[in-house]
Amino acid sequence: MQVRFWWRAVLIVLCLCAGIRADEKETLRKIIDSVLEESRRDYDAMSFDSLKKFAENGVAEAQYWLAFRYFDGTAGVTDSIEGLKWIRKSADGGDMYAPEVLGILFNNGQLVPANPDSAVHWIQRAAELDNGVCQARMADYRWRTATTADDSIT
């Protein structure tokens, strides 16, 4: 599993570093998206111990998936505190989806006290990492707060 993951990472770097013609960019983007989607499935299928090793070594995407293993109990036990720890590490490590999760949790008061300012902070952070859903949420939020008293982010 680890060898396949690293081979894919090397492939992506080589493709990005090579001189790519404009007409090849769309094809390359599709290939990279496919490889990244397959790596996501690999994290989902990875054993808990292997996933935890990747997470402990600072791989933000592995930290994200590990958090959900704790949230949904597939880690062997449901542990929201441990899940929050890993989702925060993932967000701090640059995963584009983890800040969105934190924003939603703070907005809804789930697992953490409701805090609209923290919700906006995390959704904005995800938007800055090119999370399209959060970019749309921030645009909607700015429009609503400029025209109404509604200050919920989601």
Side-chain angles (χ1 to χ4, degrees), residues 124-138:
Q124 177 64 40
R125 187 140 172 215
E128 290 166 358
L129 293 169
D130 291 330
N131 180 321
V133 171
C134 290
Q135 289 170 343
R137 281 187 174 148
M138 287 306 299

Side-chain angles (χ1 to χ4, degrees), residues 1-6 42-43 46-63 66 86:
M1 186 74 66
Q2 292 177 6
V3 172
R4 286 177 48 207
F5 172 77
W6 290 113
D42 287 349
Y43 279 121
M46 193 178 284
S47 75
F48 176 78
D49 291 336
S50 296
L51 182 61
K52 190 165 185 182
K53 285 179 185 173
F54 275 104
E56 288 170 341
N57 285 317
V59 179
E61 189 176 6
Q63 293 168 340
L66 183 62
W86 285 107

Side-chain angles (χ1 to χ4, degrees), residues 18-148:
I20 300 168
R21 295 188 327 249
D23 62 332
E24 296 174 325
K25 285 185 180 177
E26 182 62 23
T27 302
L28 180 60
R29 186 191 62 75
K30 287 179 182 177
I31 291 168
I32 291 172
D33 287 347
S34 171
V35 168
L36 291 175
E37 180 58 32
E38 191 171 328
S39 74
R40 282 193 190 286
R41 287 193 301 269
D42 287 349
Y43 279 121
D44 196 36
M46 193 178 284
S47 75
F48 176 78
D49 291 336
S50 296
L51 182 61
K52 190 165 185 182
K53 285 179 185 173
F54 275 104
E56 288 170 341
N57 285 317
V59 179
E61 189 176 6
Q63 293 168 340
Y64 175 86
W65 286 101
L66 183 62
F68 278 93
R69 294 262 183 112
Y70 281 110
F71 288 145
D72 68 15
T74 55
V77 63
T78 302
D79 188 340
S80 299
I81 293 172
E82 195 69 12
L84 283 170
K85 175 183 111 177
W86 285 107
I87 203 74
R88 175 66 191 257
K89 284 184 178 197
S90 179
D92 290 341
D95 184 83
M96 75 166 55
Y97 302 106
E100 177 182 14
V101 172
L102 286 169
I104 291 168
L105 292 175
F106 276 110
N107 187 71
N108 298 337
Q110 295 173 304
L111 305 178
V112 293
N115 185 329
D117 293 333
S118 291
V120 170
H121 165 80
W122 288 110
I123 297 294
Q124 177 64 40
R125 187 140 172 215
E128 290 166 358
L129 293 169
D130 291 330
N131 180 321
V133 171
C134 290
Q135 289 170 343
R137 281 187 174 148
M138 287 306 299
D140 178 64
Y141 171 75
R142 288 187 186 110
W143 179 82
R144 281 185 294 111
T145 55
T147 59
T148 68

